[in-house]
Amino acid sequence: MLDKKIIIVTPWFERFAGGAELLARGMAREFAKRGIPTMVFTTCSLSPYDSWWKDYYRPGVYDVAGIETRRFATVKSRARYDAVIGKLRRGTNLTARDEQDFFDYGINSSDLVDELAGFTDGDYEIIALPYFHGLTNSVINRYPGKISLIPCFHDEPQFYWGTTEALLRHAKLIFFNSAEEKQMTIRQYGQKVGRGIIEGVVTGVGVELPISDDEQGTISPRLPDSYFVYAGRKEVGKNVPLLCQWFTSYAEKSRRDSKLIFIGGGDKTLIPSSDRFIDLGFVSEAMKQQVISHSRGVINLSENESFSIVIMEGWLLGVPAIVSAGCAVTTNHVRRCNGGLYVANGEEFGLALKYLEEQDAVRKILAGNGQQYVSREFSFDAVLARYLREFRQHQKPEQLCSTAS
């Protein structure tokens, strides 16, 4: 056990269910279940799809599913952030000041950063995530060597900015979601930053299916006989337009009545107006599990993944995965466990869909392989043990003596 309390710092907590927040939510819940006092520090912003500069919640202390959650007012000035976004859209080269403004004036909270000053002593382990948002950068840069980082890195422009090198230098410990994420970071920053990256631990992400009693029995609307699922944010960066294009091509060529069901939020306009596509939006956990478990497979063509919780959940629910060969993280998950198929183009995608629709026995074998992989490598017991082992190894001698006594 750990003779400390844990604070998790993340921009949004409760309603938004992106990968980083699911990670934060699972860690907070499971640390607390294991008797380790855990708090979450977050902003008053509702979600990344709402204004980052508007407080939806009032500042204060909340109980979110049994976790003490402290909410802080957001930074209200956004002009400099908007200026940087304008430059990015125009393809204008950014200055170092621009890169810093992107983080300082994005989703951030000066009040939260100031409040953490009273928690950076030896009684707390503070973890911030993900790297992409200003709040994480602000707390780690304000308290160098005091706060650990779960970066959730992707191969994207911000990963190569000078601000990311500074963040890695100032982090106390670095926890990676996958071996591929760590290898990418070593290639870019290993010689510049050194030990902090090399000694960073690949923890993975805890994935277990929550037990939900809120919806029993049949689900509505009625599900088609044969369908695949995309679960997550509908975004260009997640390759949703490409997914729709490839799926349409497959359906037209094969003349099958296959459907693609979308679960989650994001940009609805990315989905073509066609009866091939069904957008359920946000659904309860019980419905989500039922929709996935009755599908032919979970599809994730995103090339920007540091882990991919959704394909893990699919494996636990007994369905295989189809992923992009352009994403090293998801492709290597599939390779390690032989839990699905990876595709590089529309033709391969169509063949993968056809194969999973026709080969029931193989589909079950692939899903079973994935299920064993997740249960072995990414149970919360396995993942949290990696965090706790690292925290204990970096305790000061007087803290170790206190723990032993």
Side-chain angles (χ1 to χ4, degrees), residues 111-128:
D111 291 346
L112 188 157
V113 176
D114 291 343
E115 182 71 12
L116 274 179
F119 297 87
T120 56
D121 58 23
D123 292 334
Y124 293 88
E125 288 289 355
I126 306 174
I127 313 168

Side-chain angles (χ1 to χ4, degrees), residues 245-313:
Q245 176 188 330
W246 285 0
F247 196 90
T248 298
S249 178
Y250 165 72
E252 291 175 347
K253 290 178 180 178
S254 67
R255 297 184 180 180
R256 292 175 179 269
D257 191 29
S258 303
K259 309 292 185 184
L260 178 58
I261 293 180
F262 289 84
I263 298 173
D267 186 355
K268 296 181 179 180
T269 66
L270 296 178
I271 303 176
S273 179
S274 166
D275 62 3
R276 295 188 186 98
F277 303 107
I278 302 170
D279 183 11
L280 299 181
F282 287 109
V283 299
S284 69
E285 183 62 37
M287 182 179 288
K288 173 187 168 184
Q289 291 185 24
Q290 290 189 57
V291 170
I292 291 176
S293 64
H294 287 88
S295 73
R296 302 285 182 173
V298 169
I299 304 174
N300 181 7
L301 296 185
S302 169
E303 297 183 4
N304 293 322
E305 297 292 326
S306 65
F307 185 73
S308 187
I309 292 174
V310 67
I311 67 170
M312 304 290 168
E313 291 179 332

Side-chain angles (χ1 to χ4, degrees), residues 296 355-366:
R296 302 285 182 173
Y355 188 67
L356 294 183
E357 285 192 305
E358 294 180 349
Q359 303 294 329
D360 288 345
V362 175
R363 190 174 68 247
K364 292 177 182 177
I365 291 172
L366 295 175

Side-chain angles (χ1 to χ4, degrees), residues 134-180:
L135 181 63
T136 300
N137 282 258
S138 292
V139 297
I140 288 179
N141 291 329
R142 173 74 170 272
Y143 306 105
K146 299 286 188 178
I147 298 176
S148 298
L149 170 68
I150 306 175
C152 305
F153 282 139
H154 304 141
D155 187 1
E156 58 197 346
Q158 287 82 354
F159 172 71
Y160 300 95
W161 289 1
T163 49
T164 298
E165 180 180 338
L167 185 70
L168 291 167
R169 287 185 184 280
H170 292 156
K172 176 182 179 182
L173 302 171
I174 302 170
F175 298 104
F176 295 102
N177 292 335
S178 68
E180 293 74 26

